Amino acid sequence: MANRWGRALVICSLVRGLVASRAPLKLADNVQLLQVTAAGSDAQETATGVSAFLDNERVVCFEAPTRTLEATVATKKASPLGGLYNNTYGISGSACASHGYSFEGTQDECFPGIRTFYKSEVDVQRFKQMEKAALDGFIAAYSLTTDKATLMVACTCHPKSPMRVRNNLMCQLLSTAVVGSWIHANPLTNKTLVCDQGPFEYAARALATLKSSPLLPMHQYDQIAPIGCAKRGFPLMYGATDHCYPQLHMWTRTEQPMRNCPPGGLGEDNPDCDDWGVVESGKIEKALVADGRFENEFVKDKNLSSILSYWPACNCNSKSMVVMHERRVKGQKVCDPVETHSPVRDFWTG
């Protein structure tokens, strides 16, 4: 099974699926990195130039240097208020004024360095009402108190943001008491495949990282959920430490892998009797990254920033098996350049 995935083995989520199989994981020394980045001055312009981001209803426009903006997009989408942004993407190299947003609001409380603009002063209050409605929906979905849901929003903000700093101690306590979860989904069918679970804030950061990576198509519409995977239809926890994010665990619908796997497994597509969600997830991840579907189709279709196009091995924890392999093969500083990882990893190292 390990040989079948080839270069895709270094993707953290693929590694997780492979390690969960019966076959021992072996990463070949000649694994080639598919490093997709813009070149020369164009890359520098994309990283430092101003970009914009609108909510679904196009009421507010957020503006920041492109890399900061993309981290903001992913963070907001992963948060309890993510439903406000799940059908929109960053507009690379474009200021809010060019889209008709000239009334400047206050600095964003959830992410430092973000400016907010509206078409009129009336829209400031309108957006506050939209945020309240989104929060009320989150409260109703998970039977939360307003205070607890509001805290969850604050805890998913940038660690140095005013909202997160004011609630630092409470956020630490929250993550010891509340789990967070998210699900890999098939972007073509929306079929849910595999669930990951961990401390609430940690799980939200991991989801934001995926939303700013080539695995974004598998997480276009989801947001962090303050419940465990078992309540979401994935009752079985795979016991091994996650090979990308050490505080997360993968949960599946069926035993992973199945005990007493018969000779030949479950057919050519599943010789090791893995959970079928793991198998399908691995195939999609390989298609998006190793086969270039994200770069060649999704990025072009959505006109996304080149900042999101990279080989995602360096998104994993610096002490994870995945990153240690990358360093052994490519050198100790392989993950140092910013273009090798999600912009969320610029400030989160979990």
Side-chain angles (χ1 to χ4, degrees), residues 38-204:
S41 60
D42 289 341
Q44 183 68 15
E45 181 179 356
T46 301
T48 60
V50 170
S51 291
F53 168 55
L54 308 175
D55 68 284
N56 288 346
E57 300 298 322
R58 307 179 76 85
V59 174
V60 62
C61 180
F62 302 94
E63 182 180 293
T66 301
R67 191 166 181 86
T68 300
L69 193 283
E70 290 296 344
T72 306
V73 172
T75 298
K76 288 184 178 294
K77 286 187 172 188
S79 81
L81 302 182
L84 292 170
Y85 313 102
N86 58 12
N87 279 310
T88 184
Y89 303 91
I91 309 170
S92 185
S94 180
C96 288
S98 65
H99 299 281
Y101 296 82
S102 57
F103 182 85
E104 185 164 9
T106 58
Q107 287 276 326
D108 189 273
E109 284 258 299
C110 190
F111 213 103
I114 301 296
R115 301 171 70 186
T116 59
F117 293 88
Y118 304 83
K119 290 186 175 180
S120 70
E121 188 173 2
V122 173
D123 286 335
V124 177
Q125 291 303 316
R126 180 185 172 192
F127 188 68
K128 288 181 179 179
Q129 293 171 357
M130 290 167 56
E131 287 185 309
K132 182 181 183 303
L135 185 65
D136 288 344
F138 190 76
I139 290 169
Y142 300 108
S143 301
L144 302 170
T145 64
T146 299
D147 286 347
K148 192 168 188 177
T150 302
L151 177 63
M152 289 176 176
V153 173
C155 296
T156 60
C157 291
H158 188 289
K160 294 184 179 180
S161 67
M163 285 184 67
R164 178 61 178 77
V165 170
R166 285 197 301 267
N167 292 281
N168 183 52
L169 178 59
M170 293 301 294
C171 288
Q172 293 179 40
L173 294 174
L174 179 74
S175 281
T176 63
V178 178
V179 299
S181 65
W182 42 262
I183 294 174
H184 274 325
N186 185 317
L188 298 179
T189 65
N190 292 323
K191 177 184 176 183
T192 56
L193 304 174
V194 177
C195 184
D196 272 74
Q197 172 183 318
F200 180 82
E201 183 178 342
Y202 189 96

Side-chain angles (χ1 to χ4, degrees), residues 7 34 283 285-294 296:
R7 296 191 309 176
L34 176 63
K283 289 182 178 180
E285 291 162 356
K286 179 179 180 294
L288 288 171
V289 184
D291 297 343
R293 296 287 293 274
F294 176 75
N296 296 327

Side-chain angles (χ1 to χ4, degrees), residues 16 19-20 237-243 245-250 256:
R16 177 173 60 240
V19 172
M237 184 184 81
Y238 177 62
T241 300
D242 190 282
H243 281 70
Y245 303 113
Q247 294 187 42
L248 295 182
H249 279 283
M250 179 177 70
Q256 171 59 28

Side-chain angles (χ1 to χ4, degrees), residues 10-12 33 35 209 244-245 310-318 320 322-323 326-327 333-337 339-342 345:
V10 296
I11 306 171
C12 58
L33 288 179
Q35 191 66 50
T209 301
C244 190
Y245 303 113
Y310 54 88
W311 184 258
C314 291
N315 276 344
C316 294
N317 181 277
S318 62
S320 68
V322 177
V323 171
E326 293 300 293
R327 288 174 173 166
K333 296 184 178 181
V334 63
C335 292
D336 288 358
E339 64 267 19
T340 64
H341 55 255
S342 158
R345 299 300 274 173

